[in-house]
Amino acid sequence: QVQLVESGGGLVQPGGSLRLSCAASGSIFSINAMSWHRQVPGKQRELVASISSGESTNYADSVKGRFTISRDNAKNTVYLQMNLLKPEDSAVYYCNAIVHNGRYTGSYWGQGTQVTVSS
């Protein structure tokens, strides 16, 4: 089994910054793509940013130029640096990882971390 644990969420004022972390552990042979998603009540979960095993990145238009995704393969960890935060960035943020355990490849989700942008 694979577990993803997120940290770094919280309350921040508009224009502020937060850094989210997501560490994967368990039966891991290799990790392919890692990504961050967010969801607000009553809306579908949306992709915020993704990073491939080769560190190619992709961002939602709404966060381009403000958010940066990165990964540390030695620590099986993905990060999301969020700058110039806006109230509309408030959501529960979830990380996802595509993990190969040597026999199977599966998609795993973290439990979510709340980000609130408010004055």
Side-chain angles (χ1 to χ4, degrees):
Q1 190 58 282
V2 174
Q3 298 81 38
L4 300 182
V5 178
E6 297 129 336
S7 59
L11 173 64
V12 63
Q13 291 187 341
S17 298
L18 282 176
R19 188 192 194 208
L20 305 182
S21 300
C22 173
S25 62
S27 300
I28 298 172
F29 179 77
S30 64
I31 301 179
N32 299 331
M34 304 183 83
S35 56
W36 288 96
H37 304 249
R38 66 187 181 188
Q39 189 170 24
V40 297
K43 292 191 175 182
Q44 286 191 334
R45 191 172 297 186
E46 64 172 355
L47 174 67
V48 175
S50 65
I51 184 166
S52 70
S53 57
E55 303 201 13
S56 295
T57 59
N58 182 57
Y59 296 92
D61 288 343
S62 59
V63 306
K64 281 181 181 176
R66 300 188 298 120
F67 291 10
T68 302
I69 189 170
S70 61
R71 62 191 287 172
D72 184 334
N73 292 326
K75 296 181 179 180
N76 291 332
T77 299
V78 63
Y79 305 97
L80 186 68
Q81 177 66 44
M82 305 185 293
N83 298 328
L84 299 174
L85 283 160
K86 304 175 181 180
E88 52 263 43
D89 294 319
S90 298
V92 178
Y93 283 70
Y94 299 89
C95 68
N96 176 271
I98 309 301
V99 178
H100 185 62
N101 67 3
R103 296 185 63 187
Y104 306 109
T105 298
S107 175
Y108 298 90
W109 291 91
Q111 80 286 357
T113 185
Q114 176 71 48
V115 171
T116 303
V117 184
S118 175
S119 54

